[in-house]
Amino acid sequence: FSETEMIPVMRGQWFIDGTWQPLEEDESNLIEQEHLNRFKDQQLQDSFDMEVLKPVDRKEAIHSLKLSRNHVDWHSVDEVYLYSDATTSKIARTVTQTLGFSKASSSGTRLHRGYVEEATLEDRPPETSHIVFVVHGIGQKMDQGRIIKNTAMMRDNARKIEEKYFSKLATHVEFLPVEWRSKLTLDGDTIELITPDKMRALRHILNSSALDIMYYTSPLYRDELVKGLQQELNRLYTLFCSRNPEFEEKGGKVSIVSHSLGCVITYDIMTGWNPVRLYEQLLQKEEEELEDSWMSYEDRCLLEGLYMTRQWLRETEERLCELTATTVSKPPVLKFKVENFFCMGSPLGMFLVLRGVRPGNSGSQDHILPRTICKRLLNIFHPADPVAYRLEPLILKHYSNILPVQIHWYSTVNPPPYEHMKPCFLNPTEEPTSFTDSESGSAVPSPTTSPVMARRHYGKSITNIGKCILGAANIGKGLGKMLFSRFGRSHTTTPQPLEAGKDGVKGDDKKAPTVGTPPLSHCSAGFLEAPVELEHRIDFELREGFVESRYWSAVTSHTAYWSSMDIALFLLTFMCKDDQEDADKSNLDTV
């Protein structure tokens, strides 16, 4: 959004009767000035309710004002009429007055000073208790101001969801767009000078979008992108607090919603990650490997001299930074604590892998983003988004075979809480358990406890289902026995699903299969019994439409997050979570 594209905000003073549209600013200012000069000490009627259709009969004008194309007559302090001075209007007035009609009732337009409804204290918007900074990704240079429109769509959807589901809560969320790209200089459009003329339009699109990724991986321009976003976040937060001084005093919270490359830049700002630090770690690793290897006396002396030189260089650089008071070596710092970090269509997982991050064994978010920096990390993606990557397998490796949590449709009635949705296997062939004759009915997940049974986009074709059935028959499981063990007991007994953790589970009847409809090949998978589980889920996946084309979705899905009502409900669910729990607790106490 460039500063040259300014949208004027005008104050309405005089309005047209009936439509209540404001007059043009120039005419309105002239009428207001004349009105104050003529009726400064006179009072309006006590009641603000105006008789809109009350004509002025035979009453002479007590004051008039000539405008460029119109003139205004005052019959009293609150009876003001606007007349057109066009020739046709004059003729019409003459004819109607000859017939006995008054001037005002024949061709005049009544004006009102002030709007039809009087402002009250209740008209003020509720105080904002949670602000959300919306950060764009690549392509902003090509379509400046797009993040403003996208944020407006997300805000409008959130307002509808807020009124429908969270109207009784004290939390009021405000979405603020963060446009950081247009203020950057970078190479000064030197890339455009070396761009060939052939296929110019396509090359311009690539230069204005995909080139941002190359800028960010460049050691020359990376810091400019990081500082640009960091400074804009801090500027907007400071500006918001100056206009809402009670926000910090009342414990206002801040979340960030980032899209595409913006997720990576935001992550690096919060964690202070710097490629120089990674380079130093690689040098240290090489030094340790050299120390463990055999070398001659002369080589070892040279190596020790190299170590001493590097140490002297580091100390010199530190002293130089202290003398010049530079902030180059300091990690970017935000002026606020991030409550929730929502990533949409994020390549962050791929960047972390390229930086050497590997799965751990703790199951904690701290493995990739410490909770002291951000309380909750949530990774949202469309299953067909080619830019998005998962994050959970970077914390625990076996979660690569666990389905991401499906985001509820906003129209779903009483959906189960996300904390109560158990993890399920993605590929049944990798499932460590199998069905046996001695298997109890409690080990079979019922349709009401398997929300992933009808997942269309992970399902196989009819041919693949047949291959799975034949494979099952080849290892001694007859088709009849498999169908009986899969469906018969799940509907004739009351199953007790395997415990996947401390959370309970509730089913999603909307996605449950029916008897006589064979499930897709992956649906025979049960719930996970892993020695280590995530403290809370991070990967959340949008549901595909029933008639959605996967190839078309691959093109459109990366920009489909902004207008999604499901996303709006998901964001508010987590941002209003504390207030919702307090409200539920108070209701229980009342009962």
mmCIF file with all atom_site columns, all heavy atoms in Angstrom, residues 20-31:
data_model
loop_
_atom_site.group_PDB
_atom_site.id
_atom_site.type_symbol
_atom_site.label_atom_id
_atom_site.label_alt_id
_atom_site.label_comp_id
_atom_site.label_asym_id
_atom_site.label_entity_id
_atom_site.label_seq_id
_atom_site.pdbx_PDB_ins_code
_atom_site.Cartn_x
_atom_site.Cartn_y
_atom_site.Cartn_z
_atom_site.occupancy
_atom_site.B_iso_or_equiv
_atom_site.pdbx_formal_charge
_atom_site.auth_seq_id
_atom_site.auth_comp_id
_atom_site.auth_asym_id
_atom_site.auth_atom_id
_atom_site.pdbx_PDB_model_num
ATOM 1   N N   . TRP A 1 20 ? -30.392 10.277 3.069  1.00 0.00 ? 20 TRP A N   1
ATOM 2   C CA  . TRP A 1 20 ? -29.386 10.558 4.086  1.00 0.00 ? 20 TRP A CA  1
ATOM 3   C C   . TRP A 1 20 ? -27.961 10.398 3.551  1.00 0.00 ? 20 TRP A C   1
ATOM 4   O O   . TRP A 1 20 ? -27.066 9.928  4.239  1.00 0.00 ? 20 TRP A O   1
ATOM 5   C CB  . TRP A 1 20 ? -29.596 9.687  5.322  1.00 0.00 ? 20 TRP A CB  1
ATOM 6   C CG  . TRP A 1 20 ? -30.833 10.078 6.054  1.00 0.00 ? 20 TRP A CG  1
ATOM 7   C CD1 . TRP A 1 20 ? -32.057 9.478  5.968  1.00 0.00 ? 20 TRP A CD1 1
ATOM 8   C CD2 . TRP A 1 20 ? -30.992 11.184 6.945  1.00 0.00 ? 20 TRP A CD2 1
ATOM 9   N NE1 . TRP A 1 20 ? -32.973 10.124 6.738  1.00 0.00 ? 20 TRP A NE1 1
ATOM 10  C CE2 . TRP A 1 20 ? -32.346 11.178 7.370  1.00 0.00 ? 20 TRP A CE2 1
ATOM 11  C CE3 . TRP A 1 20 ? -30.147 12.170 7.428  1.00 0.00 ? 20 TRP A CE3 1
ATOM 12  C CZ2 . TRP A 1 20 ? -32.855 12.128 8.231  1.00 0.00 ? 20 TRP A CZ2 1
ATOM 13  C CZ3 . TRP A 1 20 ? -30.643 13.112 8.308  1.00 0.00 ? 20 TRP A CZ3 1
ATOM 14  C CH2 . TRP A 1 20 ? -31.988 13.100 8.692  1.00 0.00 ? 20 TRP A CH2 1
ATOM 15  N N   . GLN A 1 21 ? -27.797 10.826 2.306  1.00 0.00 ? 21 GLN A N   1
ATOM 16  C CA  . GLN A 1 21 ? -26.474 10.888 1.706  1.00 0.00 ? 21 GLN A CA  1
ATOM 17  C C   . GLN A 1 21 ? -25.860 12.251 2.005  1.00 0.00 ? 21 GLN A C   1
ATOM 18  O O   . GLN A 1 21 ? -26.551 13.274 1.980  1.00 0.00 ? 21 GLN A O   1
ATOM 19  C CB  . GLN A 1 21 ? -26.555 10.674 0.197  1.00 0.00 ? 21 GLN A CB  1
ATOM 20  C CG  . GLN A 1 21 ? -27.005 9.279  -0.203 1.00 0.00 ? 21 GLN A CG  1
ATOM 21  C CD  . GLN A 1 21 ? -26.002 8.229  0.223  1.00 0.00 ? 21 GLN A CD  1
ATOM 22  O OE1 . GLN A 1 21 ? -24.805 8.387  0.017  1.00 0.00 ? 21 GLN A OE1 1
ATOM 23  N NE2 . GLN A 1 21 ? -26.483 7.155  0.832  1.00 0.00 ? 21 GLN A NE2 1
ATOM 24  N N   . PRO A 1 22 ? -24.566 12.316 2.281  1.00 0.00 ? 22 PRO A N   1
ATOM 25  C CA  . PRO A 1 22 ? -23.948 13.608 2.594  1.00 0.00 ? 22 PRO A CA  1
ATOM 26  C C   . PRO A 1 22 ? -23.784 14.472 1.353  1.00 0.00 ? 22 PRO A C   1
ATOM 27  O O   . PRO A 1 22 ? -23.618 13.965 0.234  1.00 0.00 ? 22 PRO A O   1
ATOM 28  C CB  . PRO A 1 22 ? -22.583 13.203 3.178  1.00 0.00 ? 22 PRO A CB  1
ATOM 29  C CG  . PRO A 1 22 ? -22.292 11.876 2.552  1.00 0.00 ? 22 PRO A CG  1
ATOM 30  C CD  . PRO A 1 22 ? -23.617 11.186 2.373  1.00 0.00 ? 22 PRO A CD  1
ATOM 31  N N   . LEU A 1 23 ? -23.836 15.776 1.544  1.00 0.00 ? 23 LEU A N   1
ATOM 32  C CA  . LEU A 1 23 ? -23.563 16.699 0.450  1.00 0.00 ? 23 LEU A CA  1
ATOM 33  C C   . LEU A 1 23 ? -22.082 16.690 0.115  1.00 0.00 ? 23 LEU A C   1
ATOM 34  O O   . LEU A 1 23 ? -21.247 16.197 0.887  1.00 0.00 ? 23 LEU A O   1
ATOM 35  C CB  . LEU A 1 23 ? -23.985 18.121 0.836  1.00 0.00 ? 23 LEU A CB  1
ATOM 36  C CG  . LEU A 1 23 ? -25.486 18.422 0.929  1.00 0.00 ? 23 LEU A CG  1
ATOM 37  C CD1 . LEU A 1 23 ? -25.677 19.881 1.327  1.00 0.00 ? 23 LEU A CD1 1
ATOM 38  C CD2 . LEU A 1 23 ? -26.173 18.140 -0.399 1.00 0.00 ? 23 LEU A CD2 1
ATOM 39  N N   . GLU A 1 24 ? -21.762 17.255 -1.043 1.00 0.00 ? 24 GLU A N   1
ATOM 40  C CA  . GLU A 1 24 ? -20.355 17.412 -1.401 1.00 0.00 ? 24 GLU A CA  1
ATOM 41  C C   . GLU A 1 24 ? -19.654 18.267 -0.345 1.00 0.00 ? 24 GLU A C   1
ATOM 42  O O   . GLU A 1 24 ? -20.237 19.180 0.246  1.00 0.00 ? 24 GLU A O   1
ATOM 43  C CB  . GLU A 1 24 ? -20.234 18.079 -2.776 1.00 0.00 ? 24 GLU A CB  1
ATOM 44  C CG  . GLU A 1 24 ? -20.742 17.239 -3.930 1.00 0.00 ? 24 GLU A CG  1
ATOM 45  C CD  . GLU A 1 24 ? -19.864 16.022 -4.189 1.00 0.00 ? 24 GLU A CD  1
ATOM 46  O OE1 . GLU A 1 24 ? -18.675 16.074 -3.821 1.00 0.00 ? 24 GLU A OE1 1
ATOM 47  O OE2 . GLU A 1 24 ? -20.365 15.036 -4.747 1.00 0.00 ? 24 GLU A OE2 1
ATOM 48  N N   . GLU A 1 25 ? -18.398 17.944 -0.128 1.00 0.00 ? 25 GLU A N   1
ATOM 49  C CA  . GLU A 1 25 ? -17.669 18.575 0.985  1.00 0.00 ? 25 GLU A CA  1
ATOM 50  C C   . GLU A 1 25 ? -17.606 20.093 0.834  1.00 0.00 ? 25 GLU A C   1
ATOM 51  O O   . GLU A 1 25 ? -17.793 20.832 1.811  1.00 0.00 ? 25 GLU A O   1
ATOM 52  C CB  . GLU A 1 25 ? -16.265 17.982 1.063  1.00 0.00 ? 25 GLU A CB  1
ATOM 53  C CG  . GLU A 1 25 ? -15.478 18.487 2.255  1.00 0.00 ? 25 GLU A CG  1
ATOM 54  C CD  . GLU A 1 25 ? -14.103 17.852 2.341  1.00 0.00 ? 25 GLU A CD  1
ATOM 55  O OE1 . GLU A 1 25 ? -13.663 17.265 1.333  1.00 0.00 ? 25 GLU A OE1 1
ATOM 56  O OE2 . GLU A 1 25 ? -13.465 17.948 3.408  1.00 0.00 ? 25 GLU A OE2 1
ATOM 57  N N   . ASP A 1 26 ? -17.361 20.583 -0.391 1.00 0.00 ? 26 ASP A N   1
ATOM 58  C CA  . ASP A 1 26 ? -17.233 22.031 -0.587 1.00 0.00 ? 26 ASP A CA  1
ATOM 59  C C   . ASP A 1 26 ? -18.542 22.743 -0.277 1.00 0.00 ? 26 ASP A C   1
ATOM 60  O O   . ASP A 1 26 ? -18.562 23.756 0.451  1.00 0.00 ? 26 ASP A O   1
ATOM 61  C CB  . ASP A 1 26 ? -16.792 22.324 -2.025 1.00 0.00 ? 26 ASP A CB  1
ATOM 62  C CG  . ASP A 1 26 ? -15.400 21.785 -2.318 1.00 0.00 ? 26 ASP A CG  1
ATOM 63  O OD1 . ASP A 1 26 ? -14.637 21.590 -1.350 1.00 0.00 ? 26 ASP A OD1 1
ATOM 64  O OD2 . ASP A 1 26 ? -15.084 21.555 -3.504 1.00 0.00 ? 26 ASP A OD2 1
ATOM 65  N N   . GLU A 1 27 ? -19.650 22.242 -0.818 1.00 0.00 ? 27 GLU A N   1
ATOM 66  C CA  . GLU A 1 27 ? -20.946 22.865 -0.565 1.00 0.00 ? 27 GLU A CA  1
ATOM 67  C C   . GLU A 1 27 ? -21.331 22.735 0.906  1.00 0.00 ? 27 GLU A C   1
ATOM 68  O O   . GLU A 1 27 ? -21.889 23.668 1.496  1.00 0.00 ? 27 GLU A O   1
ATOM 69  C CB  . GLU A 1 27 ? -22.011 22.227 -1.445 1.00 0.00 ? 27 GLU A CB  1
ATOM 70  C CG  . GLU A 1 27 ? -21.866 22.562 -2.922 1.00 0.00 ? 27 GLU A CG  1
ATOM 71  C CD  . GLU A 1 27 ? -23.032 22.030 -3.736 1.00 0.00 ? 27 GLU A CD  1
ATOM 72  O OE1 . GLU A 1 27 ? -23.849 21.262 -3.162 1.00 0.00 ? 27 GLU A OE1 1
ATOM 73  O OE2 . GLU A 1 27 ? -23.148 22.383 -4.924 1.00 0.00 ? 27 GLU A OE2 1
ATOM 74  N N   . SER A 1 28 ? -21.030 21.589 1.488  1.00 0.00 ? 28 SER A N   1
ATOM 75  C CA  . SER A 1 28 ? -21.371 21.371 2.890  1.00 0.00 ? 28 SER A CA  1
ATOM 76  C C   . SER A 1 28 ? -20.642 22.358 3.793  1.00 0.00 ? 28 SER A C   1
ATOM 77  O O   . SER A 1 28 ? -21.227 22.899 4.747  1.00 0.00 ? 28 SER A O   1
ATOM 78  C CB  . SER A 1 28 ? -21.038 19.927 3.285  1.00 0.00 ? 28 SER A CB  1
ATOM 79  O OG  . SER A 1 28 ? -21.349 19.694 4.633  1.00 0.00 ? 28 SER A OG  1
ATOM 80  N N   . ASN A 1 29 ? -19.376 22.627 3.505  1.00 0.00 ? 29 ASN A N   1
ATOM 81  C CA  . ASN A 1 29 ? -18.612 23.577 4.324  1.00 0.00 ? 29 ASN A CA  1
ATOM 82  C C   . ASN A 1 29 ? -19.162 24.991 4.196  1.00 0.00 ? 29 ASN A C   1
ATOM 83  O O   . ASN A 1 29 ? -19.241 25.739 5.193  1.00 0.00 ? 29 ASN A O   1
ATOM 84  C CB  . ASN A 1 29 ? -17.138 23.545 3.917  1.00 0.00 ? 29 ASN A CB  1
ATOM 85  C CG  . ASN A 1 29 ? -16.459 22.247 4.302  1.00 0.00 ? 29 ASN A CG  1
ATOM 86  O OD1 . ASN A 1 29 ? -16.896 21.560 5.224  1.00 0.00 ? 29 ASN A OD1 1
ATOM 87  N ND2 . ASN A 1 29 ? -15.380 21.912 3.607  1.00 0.00 ? 29 ASN A ND2 1
ATOM 88  N N   . LEU A 1 30 ? -19.575 25.392 2.988  1.00 0.00 ? 30 LEU A N   1
ATOM 89  C CA  . LEU A 1 30 ? -20.144 26.730 2.794  1.00 0.00 ? 30 LEU A CA  1
ATOM 90  C C   . LEU A 1 30 ? -21.477 26.875 3.527  1.00 0.00 ? 30 LEU A C   1
ATOM 91  O O   . LEU A 1 30 ? -21.733 27.899 4.177  1.00 0.00 ? 30 LEU A O   1
ATOM 92  C CB  . LEU A 1 30 ? -20.329 27.000 1.299  1.00 0.00 ? 30 LEU A CB  1
ATOM 93  C CG  . LEU A 1 30 ? -19.042 27.139 0.467  1.00 0.00 ? 30 LEU A CG  1
ATOM 94  C CD1 . LEU A 1 30 ? -19.379 27.262 -1.015 1.00 0.00 ? 30 LEU A CD1 1
ATOM 95  C CD2 . LEU A 1 30 ? -18.232 28.343 0.934  1.00 0.00 ? 30 LEU A CD2 1
ATOM 96  N N   . ILE A 1 31 ? -22.307 25.845 3.438  1.00 0.00 ? 31 ILE A N   1
ATOM 97  C CA  . ILE A 1 31 ? -23.598 25.891 4.131  1.00 0.00 ? 31 ILE A CA  1
ATOM 98  C C   . ILE A 1 31 ? -23.387 25.919 5.639  1.00 0.00 ? 31 ILE A C   1
ATOM 99  O O   . ILE A 1 31 ? -24.078 26.659 6.369  1.00 0.00 ? 31 ILE A O   1
ATOM 100 C CB  . ILE A 1 31 ? -24.461 24.690 3.720  1.00 0.00 ? 31 ILE A CB  1
ATOM 101 C CG1 . ILE A 1 31 ? -24.793 24.764 2.226  1.00 0.00 ? 31 ILE A CG1 1
ATOM 102 C CG2 . ILE A 1 31 ? -25.737 24.635 4.544  1.00 0.00 ? 31 ILE A CG2 1
ATOM 103 C CD1 . ILE A 1 31 ? -25.513 23.540 1.705  1.00 0.00 ? 31 ILE A CD1 1
#
